[in-house]
């Protein structure tokens, strides 16, 4: 992993932690604006890392809901 990817990954991890702790779900856009002023390359890598993390979180929530529904349905179908 190169410097660009490593820095973008670390920054995205930190921003996700702050967003979770503060409830500021658009903080990553503010950070992106700061990056845009100094490095468009790092800004793009950071936004990619953020999109991936946010998309995974949404997909994981969806999957967990489906698993819970399937488990509830299986328990409801058990014979006494």
């Amino acid at each position: 992993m190169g410097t660009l990817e490593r820095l973008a990954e670390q920054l995205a991890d930190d921003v996700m932690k702050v967003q979770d702790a503060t409830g500021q779900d658009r903080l990553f856009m503010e950070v992106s604006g700061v990056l845009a002023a100094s490095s468009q390359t790092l800004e793009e890598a950071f936004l990619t890392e953020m999109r991936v993390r946010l998309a995974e979180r949404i997909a994981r929530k969806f999957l967990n809901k489906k698993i819970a529904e399937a488990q509830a349905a299986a328990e409801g179908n058990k014979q006494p």
Side-chain angles (χ1 to χ4, degrees):
M1 177 183 305
T3 302
L4 176 66
E5 293 84 8
R6 183 175 37 80
L7 291 174
E9 181 181 332
Q10 291 172 346
L11 188 56
D13 285 341
D14 292 343
V15 170
M16 289 291 287
K17 289 175 189 172
V18 174
Q19 285 187 176
D20 290 344
T22 64
Q24 293 179 291
D25 62 346
R26 303 293 291 172
L27 177 62
F28 76 97
M29 293 304 296
E30 294 178 46
V31 174
S32 173
V34 171
L35 289 173
S38 57
S39 174
Q40 183 179 4
T41 304
L42 182 54
E43 176 200 18
E44 290 172 3
F46 166 72
L47 284 174
T48 297
E49 292 287 339
M50 286 302 301
R51 286 186 200 105
V52 168
R53 284 163 175 70
L54 293 169
E56 187 274 341
R57 186 175 280 186
I58 292 167
R60 177 100 27 222
K61 184 177 179 179
F62 172 80
L63 183 59
N64 288 340
K65 180 181 175 193
K66 290 296 184 181
I67 291 169
E69 289 172 357
Q71 288 173 339
E75 289 176 10
N77 291 332
K78 287 184 179 177
Q79 298 292 332

Coordinates of all heavy atoms in Angstrom, one line a residue:
M1 N 0.9 -1.2 0.0 CA 0.0 0.0 0.0 C 0.9 1.2 0.0 O 1.8 1.3 0.8 CB -0.9 0.0 1.2 CG -1.8 1.2 1.4 SD -2.8 1.3 2.9 CE -3.7 -0.3 2.8
G2 N 0.6 2.2 -0.9 CA 1.4 3.4 -1.0 C 1.0 4.4 0.0 O 0.0 4.3 0.8
T3 N 1.8 5.5 0.1 CA 1.5 6.5 1.0 C 0.1 7.1 0.9 O -0.6 7.4 1.9 CB 2.6 7.7 0.8 OG1 3.9 7.1 1.0 CG2 2.4 8.8 1.8
L4 N -0.3 7.4 -0.3 CA -1.6 8.0 -0.6 C -2.7 7.1 0.0 O -3.6 7.6 0.7 CB -1.8 8.2 -2.1 CG -3.2 8.7 -2.5 CD1 -3.4 10.1 -2.0 CD2 -3.4 8.6 -4.0
E5 N -2.7 5.9 -0.3 CA -3.8 5.0 0.2 C -3.7 4.8 1.7 O -4.8 4.8 2.4 CB -3.6 3.6 -0.5 CG -3.9 3.6 -1.9 CD -2.7 3.9 -2.8 OE1 -1.6 4.1 -2.2 OE2 -2.9 4.1 -4.0
R6 N -2.5 4.8 2.3 CA -2.4 4.6 3.7 C -2.9 5.9 4.4 O -3.7 5.8 5.4 CB -0.9 4.4 4.1 CG -0.7 4.2 5.6 CD 0.8 3.8 5.9 NE 1.8 4.4 5.1 CZ 2.2 5.7 5.3 NH1 1.7 6.4 6.3 NH2 3.1 6.2 4.5
L7 N -2.6 7.0 3.9 CA -3.0 8.3 4.6 C -4.5 8.4 4.4 O -5.2 8.8 5.4 CB -2.3 9.5 3.9 CG -0.8 9.6 4.3 CD1 -0.2 10.8 3.5 CD2 -0.6 9.8 5.7
A8 N -5.1 8.1 3.3 CA -6.5 8.2 3.0 C -7.3 7.3 3.9 O -8.3 7.6 4.5 CB -6.8 8.0 1.6
E9 N -6.7 6.0 4.1 CA -7.4 5.0 4.9 C -7.3 5.5 6.4 O -8.4 5.4 7.1 CB -6.6 3.7 4.8 CG -7.2 2.6 5.6 CD -6.5 1.3 5.5 OE1 -5.8 1.1 4.4 OE2 -6.5 0.5 6.4
Q10 N -6.2 5.9 6.9 CA -6.1 6.4 8.3 C -7.0 7.6 8.5 O -7.7 7.6 9.6 CB -4.7 6.8 8.6 CG -3.7 5.6 8.6 CD -2.3 6.0 8.8 OE1 -1.9 7.2 8.6 NE2 -1.4 5.0 9.1
L11 N -7.1 8.5 7.6 CA -7.9 9.7 7.8 C -9.4 9.3 7.8 O -10.2 9.8 8.6 CB -7.6 10.7 6.7 CG -8.3 12.1 6.8 CD1 -7.9 12.7 8.1 CD2 -7.9 13.0 5.7
A12 N -9.8 8.4 6.9 CA -11.2 7.9 6.9 C -11.5 7.2 8.1 O -12.6 7.4 8.7 CB -11.4 7.0 5.6
D13 N -10.6 6.4 8.7 CA -10.9 5.7 9.9 C -11.1 6.7 11.1 O -12.1 6.6 11.8 CB -9.7 4.8 10.3 CG -9.7 3.5 9.5 OD1 -10.7 3.1 8.9 OD2 -8.6 2.9 9.5
D14 N -10.3 7.7 11.1 CA -10.4 8.7 12.2 C -11.7 9.5 12.0 O -12.4 9.8 13.0 CB -9.2 9.6 12.2 CG -7.9 8.9 12.6 OD1 -8.0 7.8 13.2 OD2 -6.8 9.5 12.3
V15 N -12.0 9.9 10.8 CA -13.2 10.7 10.6 C -14.5 9.9 10.9 O -15.4 10.4 11.5 CB -13.3 11.2 9.1 CG1 -14.7 11.8 8.8 CG2 -12.2 12.2 8.9
M16 N -14.5 8.6 10.6 CA -15.6 7.7 11.0 C -15.8 7.7 12.5 O -16.9 7.8 13.0 CB -15.4 6.3 10.4 CG -15.6 6.2 8.9 SD -17.2 6.5 8.3 CE -18.0 5.0 8.8
K17 N -14.7 7.6 13.2 CA -14.7 7.6 14.7 C -15.3 8.9 15.2 O -16.2 8.9 16.1 CB -13.4 7.3 15.3 CG -12.8 5.9 15.1 CD -11.4 5.8 15.6 CE -10.8 4.5 15.2 NZ -9.4 4.4 15.5
V18 N -14.9 10.0 14.7 CA -15.4 11.3 15.1 C -16.9 11.5 14.8 O -17.7 11.9 15.6 CB -14.5 12.5 14.6 CG1 -15.2 13.8 14.9 CG2 -13.1 12.4 15.1
Q19 N -17.2 11.1 13.6 CA -18.6 11.1 13.1 C -19.5 10.3 14.1 O -20.6 10.8 14.5 CB -18.8 10.7 11.7 CG -18.3 11.6 10.7 CD -18.6 11.2 9.3 OE1 -18.4 12.0 8.4 NE2 -19.2 10.1 9.0
D20 N -19.1 9.1 14.4 CA -19.8 8.2 15.3 C -20.0 8.9 16.7 O -21.0 8.8 17.3 CB -19.2 6.9 15.4 CG -19.3 6.0 14.1 OD1 -20.2 6.4 13.3 OD2 -18.6 5.0 14.0
A21 N -18.9 9.4 17.2 CA -18.9 10.0 18.5 C -19.7 11.3 18.6 O -20.3 11.6 19.7 CB -17.4 10.3 19.0
T22 N -19.7 12.1 17.6 CA -20.4 13.4 17.6 C -21.7 13.4 16.9 O -22.5 14.4 17.1 CB -19.5 14.5 17.0 OG1 -19.3 14.2 15.6 CG2 -18.1 14.5 17.6
G23 N -22.0 12.5 16.1 CA -23.3 12.5 15.3 C -23.2 13.4 14.1 O -24.2 13.6 13.4
Q24 N -22.0 13.9 13.8 CA -21.9 14.8 12.6 C -21.7 13.9 11.4 O -20.5 13.6 11.0 CB -20.7 15.7 12.8 CG -20.8 16.7 13.9 CD -19.6 17.6 13.9 OE1 -18.6 17.1 14.4 NE2 -19.7 18.8 13.5
D25 N -22.7 13.4 10.8 CA -22.6 12.5 9.7 C -22.1 13.0 8.4 O -21.9 12.3 7.5 CB -23.9 11.7 9.5 CG -25.1 12.6 9.1 OD1 -24.9 13.9 9.2 OD2 -26.1 12.1 8.6
R26 N -21.9 14.3 8.3 CA -21.4 15.0 7.1 C -20.0 15.6 7.3 O -19.5 16.3 6.5 CB -22.4 16.0 6.5 CG -23.8 15.5 6.2 CD -23.8 14.5 5.1 NE -23.5 15.2 3.8 CZ -23.3 14.6 2.7 NH1 -23.4 13.3 2.6 NH2 -23.1 15.3 1.6
L27 N -19.4 15.3 8.5 CA -18.1 15.8 8.8 C -17.1 15.5 7.6 O -16.2 16.3 7.3 CB -17.6 15.2 10.1 CG -16.2 15.6 10.5 CD1 -16.1 17.2 10.7 CD2 -15.7 14.9 11.8
F28 N -17.2 14.3 7.1 CA -16.3 13.9 6.0 C -16.3 14.9 4.8 O -15.3 15.1 4.2 CB -16.6 12.5 5.5 CG -17.7 12.3 4.6 CD1 -17.6 12.3 3.3 CD2 -19.0 12.1 5.2 CE1 -18.7 12.1 2.4 CE2 -20.1 11.9 4.3 CZ -20.0 11.9 3.0
M29 N -17.4 15.5 4.6 CA -17.5 16.5 3.5 C -16.7 17.8 3.9 O -16.1 18.4 3.0 CB -18.9 16.9 3.2 CG -19.7 15.7 2.6 SD -18.9 15.1 1.1 CE -19.0 16.4 0.0
E30 N -16.7 18.2 5.2 CA -15.9 19.3 5.6 C -14.4 19.0 5.5 O -13.6 19.8 5.0 CB -16.3 19.7 7.1 CG -17.7 20.2 7.2 CD -18.0 20.5 8.7 OE1 -17.2 21.1 9.4 OE2 -19.1 20.1 9.1
V31 N -14.0 17.8 5.9 CA -12.7 17.3 5.8 C -12.2 17.3 4.3 O -11.1 17.7 3.9 CB -12.4 16.0 6.5 CG1 -11.0 15.5 6.2 CG2 -12.7 16.1 7.9
S32 N -13.1 16.8 3.5 CA -12.9 16.8 2.0 C -12.6 18.2 1.5 O -11.7 18.4 0.7 CB -14.1 16.2 1.3 OG -13.9 16.3 -0.1
G33 N -13.3 19.2 2.0 CA -13.1 20.6 1.5 C -11.7 21.1 1.9 O -11.1 21.8 1.1
V34 N -11.3 20.7 3.1 CA -10.0 21.1 3.6 C -8.9 20.5 2.7 O -8.0 21.1 2.3 CB -9.8 20.7 5.0 CG1 -8.3 20.9 5.5 CG2 -10.7 21.5 5.9
L35 N -9.1 19.2 2.4 CA -8.2 18.5 1.5 C -8.1 19.0 0.1 O -7.1 19.1 -0.5 CB -8.5 17.0 1.4 CG -8.3 16.2 2.7 CD1 -8.8 14.7 2.5 CD2 -6.8 16.1 3.0
A36 N -9.3 19.4 -0.4 CA -9.4 19.9 -1.8 C -8.5 21.2 -2.0 O -7.9 21.4 -3.1 CB -10.8 20.3 -2.1
A37 N -8.3 21.9 -0.9 CA -7.5 23.2 -1.0 C -6.0 22.9 -1.1 O -5.3 23.7 -1.6 CB -7.8 24.0 0.2
S38 N -5.6 21.7 -0.7 CA -4.2 21.4 -0.7 C -3.8 20.2 -1.6 O -2.7 20.1 -2.1 CB -3.7 21.2 0.7 OG -4.4 20.2 1.4
S39 N -4.7 19.2 -1.7 CA -4.3 18.0 -2.5 C -5.6 17.3 -3.0 O -6.2 16.6 -2.3 CB -3.5 17.0 -1.6 OG -3.3 15.8 -2.3
Q40 N -5.8 17.6 -4.3 CA -7.0 17.0 -4.9 C -6.8 15.4 -4.9 O -7.8 14.7 -4.8 CB -7.2 17.5 -6.3 CG -8.4 16.9 -7.0 CD -8.7 17.5 -8.4 OE1 -7.9 18.3 -8.9 NE2 -9.8 17.1 -9.0
T41 N -5.6 15.0 -5.1 CA -5.3 13.5 -5.1 C -5.7 12.9 -3.8 O -6.4 11.8 -3.8 CB -3.9 13.3 -5.5 OG1 -3.5 14.0 -6.7 CG2 -3.6 11.8 -5.6
L42 N -5.3 13.5 -2.7 CA -5.6 12.9 -1.4 C -7.1 13.0 -1.1 O -7.7 12.1 -0.6 CB -4.8 13.6 -0.3 CG -5.0 13.0 1.1 CD1 -4.8 11.5 1.2 CD2 -4.1 13.8 2.1
E43 N -7.7 14.1 -1.6 CA -9.1 14.3 -1.4 C -9.9 13.2 -2.1 O -10.8 12.6 -1.5 CB -9.6 15.7 -2.0 CG -11.1 15.8 -1.9 CD -11.6 16.9 -2.9 OE1 -10.9 17.2 -3.8 OE2 -12.8 17.3 -2.7
E44 N -9.6 12.9 -3.3 CA -10.3 11.8 -4.0 C -10.1 10.4 -3.4 O -11.0 9.7 -3.2 CB -9.8 11.8 -5.5 CG -10.2 13.0 -6.3 CD -9.6 13.1 -7.7 OE1 -8.8 12.2 -8.0 OE2 -9.9 14.1 -8.4
A45 N -8.9 10.2 -2.9 CA -8.6 8.9 -2.2 C -9.4 8.8 -0.9 O -9.9 7.8 -0.6 CB -7.1 8.7 -2.0
F46 N -9.4 9.9 -0.2 CA -10.1 10.0 1.1 C -11.6 9.7 0.8 O -12.3 9.0 1.5 CB -9.9 11.3 1.7 CG -10.8 11.6 2.9 CD1 -10.8 10.9 4.1 CD2 -11.8 12.6 2.7 CE1 -11.7 11.2 5.1 CE2 -12.7 12.9 3.7 CZ -12.6 12.2 4.9
L47 N -12.2 10.4 -0.2 CA -13.6 10.3 -0.4 C -14.0 8.8 -0.9 O -15.0 8.3 -0.5 CB -14.1 11.3 -1.5 CG -14.2 12.7 -1.0 CD1 -14.5 13.6 -2.2 CD2 -15.3 12.8 0.0
T48 N -13.1 8.2 -1.6 CA -13.3 6.8 -2.0 C -13.3 5.9 -0.7 O -14.2 5.1 -0.6 CB -12.2 6.3 -2.9 OG1 -12.3 7.1 -4.1 CG2 -12.3 4.9 -3.3
E49 N -12.3 6.2 0.2 CA -12.3 5.4 1.4 C -13.6 5.6 2.2 O -14.1 4.7 2.8 CB -11.1 5.8 2.2 CG -9.8 5.4 1.7 CD -9.5 3.9 1.8 OE1 -10.1 3.2 2.6 OE2 -8.7 3.4 1.0
M50 N -14.1 6.8 2.3 CA -15.3 7.1 3.0 C -16.5 6.5 2.4 O -17.3 5.9 3.1 CB -15.5 8.7 3.1 CG -14.6 9.4 4.1 SD -14.6 8.8 5.8 CE -16.3 9.0 6.2
R51 N -16.6 6.6 1.1 CA -17.8 6.0 0.4 C -17.8 4.5 0.7 O -18.9 3.9 0.9 CB -17.7 6.2 -1.1 CG -18.1 7.7 -1.4 CD -18.1 7.8 -3.0 NE -18.0 9.2 -3.3 CZ -16.9 9.8 -3.8 NH1 -15.8 9.1 -4.1 NH2 -16.9 11.1 -4.1
V52 N -16.6 3.8 0.6 CA -16.6 2.4 0.8 C -17.0 2.1 2.2 O -17.8 1.1 2.5 CB -15.1 1.9 0.6 CG1 -15.0 0.4 1.1 CG2 -14.8 2.0 -0.9
R53 N -16.5 2.8 3.2 CA -16.9 2.5 4.6 C -18.4 2.8 4.8 O -19.1 2.0 5.5 CB -16.1 3.4 5.5 CG -14.7 2.9 5.7 CD -13.8 3.9 6.3 NE -12.4 3.4 6.6 CZ -11.6 3.1 5.7 NH1 -11.8 3.2 4.4 NH2 -10.4 2.6 6.0
L54 N -18.9 3.9 4.3 CA -20.3 4.2 4.5 C -21.2 3.2 3.8 O -22.2 2.8 4.4 CB -20.6 5.6 4.0 CG -20.0 6.7 4.9 CD1 -20.1 8.1 4.1 CD2 -20.5 6.8 6.3
A55 N -20.8 2.8 2.6 CA -21.6 1.8 1.9 C -21.6 0.4 2.6 O -22.6 -0.3 2.7 CB -21.1 1.6 0.5
E56 N -20.4 0.0 3.1 CA -20.3 -1.2 3.9 C -21.2 -1.2 5.1 O -21.9 -2.1 5.5 CB -18.9 -1.5 4.3 CG -18.7 -2.8 4.9 CD -18.9 -2.9 6.4 OE1 -18.9 -1.8 7.1 OE2 -19.1 -4.0 6.9
R57 N -21.3 0.0 5.8 CA -22.1 0.1 7.0 C -23.6 -0.1 6.6 O -24.3 -0.7 7.4 CB -21.8 1.5 7.6 CG -22.5 1.7 8.9 CD -22.2 3.0 9.5 NE -20.9 2.8 10.2 CZ -20.3 3.8 10.9 NH1 -20.9 4.9 11.1 NH2 -19.1 3.6 11.5
I58 N -24.0 0.5 5.5 CA -25.4 0.4 5.1 C -25.7 -1.0 4.7 O -26.8 -1.6 5.1 CB -25.7 1.4 3.9 CG1 -25.7 2.8 4.4 CG2 -27.0 1.0 3.3 CD1 -25.6 3.8 3.3
A59 N -24.8 -1.7 4.0 CA -25.0 -3.1 3.6 C -25.0 -4.0 4.8 O -25.8 -4.9 4.9 CB -23.9 -3.5 2.6
R60 N -24.2 -3.8 5.7 CA -24.1 -4.6 6.9 C -25.4 -4.5 7.8 O -25.9 -5.5 8.2 CB -22.9 -4.2 7.8 CG -22.8 -4.9 9.1 CD -21.8 -6.0 9.1 NE -20.7 -6.0 8.3 CZ -20.3 -7.1 7.6 NH1 -20.9 -8.2 7.7 NH2 -19.2 -7.0 6.8
K61 N -25.9 -3.2 7.9 CA -27.2 -3.0 8.6 C -28.3 -3.8 7.9 O -29.1 -4.4 8.5 CB -27.5 -1.5 8.7 CG -28.7 -1.2 9.5 CD -28.9 0.3 9.5 CE -30.1 0.7 10.3 NZ -30.3 2.2 10.4
F62 N -28.4 -3.7 6.6 CA -29.4 -4.4 5.8 C -29.3 -5.9 6.0 O -30.3 -6.6 6.3 CB -29.2 -4.1 4.3 CG -30.1 -4.9 3.4 CD1 -31.4 -4.6 3.2 CD2 -29.5 -6.0 2.7 CE1 -32.2 -5.3 2.4 CE2 -30.3 -6.7 1.9 CZ -31.7 -6.4 1.7
L63 N -28.0 -6.4 5.9 CA -27.8 -7.9 6.1 C -28.2 -8.3 7.5 O -28.8 -9.4 7.6 CB -26.4 -8.2 5.8 CG -26.0 -9.7 5.8 CD1 -26.8 -10.5 4.8 CD2 -24.5 -9.8 5.5
N64 N -27.8 -7.6 8.5 CA -28.2 -7.9 9.9 C -29.7 -8.0 10.1 O -30.2 -8.8 10.8 CB -27.5 -7.0 10.9 CG -26.0 -7.2 11.0 OD1 -25.5 -8.2 10.6 ND2 -25.3 -6.2 11.5
K65 N -30.4 -7.1 9.4 CA -31.8 -7.1 9.5 C -32.4 -8.3 8.8 O -33.3 -9.0 9.4 CB -32.4 -5.8 8.8 CG -33.9 -5.7 8.8 CD -34.4 -4.5 8.1 CE -35.9 -4.5 8.1 NZ -36.4 -3.5 7.1
K66 N -31.9 -8.7 7.7 CA -32.4 -9.9 7.0 C -32.1 -11.1 7.8 O -32.9 -12.1 7.9 CB -31.7 -10.0 5.6 CG -32.2 -9.0 4.6 CD -33.6 -9.2 4.3 CE -34.1 -8.2 3.3 NZ -35.5 -8.4 3.0
I67 N -30.9 -11.2 8.5 CA -30.6 -12.3 9.3 C -31.6 -12.4 10.5 O -32.1 -13.5 10.8 CB -29.1 -12.3 9.8 CG1 -28.2 -12.5 8.6 CG2 -28.9 -13.3 10.9 CD1 -26.7 -12.1 8.9
A68 N -31.8 -11.3 11.1 CA -32.8 -11.3 12.2 C -34.2 -11.7 11.8 O -34.8 -12.5 12.5 CB -32.8 -9.9 12.9
E69 N -34.6 -11.3 10.6 CA -35.9 -11.7 10.1 C -35.9 -13.2 9.8 O -36.9 -13.8 10.2 CB -36.2 -10.9 8.8 CG -36.5 -9.4 9.1 CD -36.6 -8.7 7.8 OE1 -36.4 -9.2 6.7 OE2 -36.9 -7.4 7.8
A70 N -34.9 -13.7 9.3 CA -34.8 -15.1 9.0 C -34.8 -16.0 10.3 O -35.5 -17.0 10.3 CB -33.6 -15.5 8.1
Q71 N -34.1 -15.5 11.3 CA -34.1 -16.2 12.5 C -35.5 -16.2 13.2 O -35.9 -17.2 13.8 CB -33.0 -15.6 13.4 CG -31.6 -15.9 13.0 CD -30.6 -15.2 13.8 OE1 -30.8 -14.2 14.4 NE2 -29.3 -15.7 13.8
A72 N -36.1 -15.0 13.1 CA -37.4 -14.9 13.7 C -38.4 -15.8 13.0 O -39.3 -16.4 13.6 CB -37.9 -13.4 13.7
A73 N -38.3 -15.8 11.7 CA -39.2 -16.7 10.9 C -39.0 -18.2 11.2 O -39.9 -19.0 11.4 CB -39.0 -16.5 9.4
A74 N -37.7 -18.6 11.4 CA -37.3 -19.9 11.7 C -37.9 -20.3 13.1 O -38.4 -21.4 13.3 CB -35.8 -20.1 11.6
E75 N -37.8 -19.4 14.0 CA -38.3 -19.7 15.4 C -39.8 -19.8 15.4 O -40.4 -20.6 16.1 CB -37.8 -18.6 16.3 CG -36.3 -18.7 16.7 CD -35.8 -17.6 17.5 OE1 -36.6 -16.8 18.1 OE2 -34.6 -17.4 17.7
G76 N -40.4 -19.0 14.5 CA -41.9 -19.0 14.5 C -42.4 -20.3 13.8 O -43.5 -20.7 14.0
N77 N -41.6 -20.9 13.0 CA -41.9 -22.2 12.3 C -41.6 -23.4 13.1 O -41.9 -24.5 12.6 CB -41.3 -22.2 10.9 CG -41.8 -21.2 10.0 OD1 -43.0 -20.8 10.1 ND2 -41.0 -20.8 9.1
K78 N -41.0 -23.3 14.3 CA -40.7 -24.5 15.0 C -41.9 -25.2 15.5 O -42.9 -24.6 15.9 CB -39.8 -24.1 16.2 CG -38.4 -23.7 15.9 CD -37.6 -23.5 17.1 CE -36.1 -23.1 16.7 NZ -35.3 -22.8 17.9
Q79 N -41.9 -26.5 15.5 CA -43.0 -27.3 16.0 C -42.9 -27.4 17.5 O -41.8 -27.7 18.0 CB -42.9 -28.7 15.4 CG -43.1 -28.7 13.9 CD -44.5 -28.3 13.4 OE1 -45.4 -28.5 14.1 NE2 -44.5 -27.7 12.2
P80 N -44.0 -27.2 18.3 CA -43.9 -27.4 19.7 C -43.7 -28.8 20.2 O -44.0 -29.7 19.5 CB -45.3 -26.9 20.2 CG -46.1 -26.6 19.0 CD -45.3 -26.8 17.8

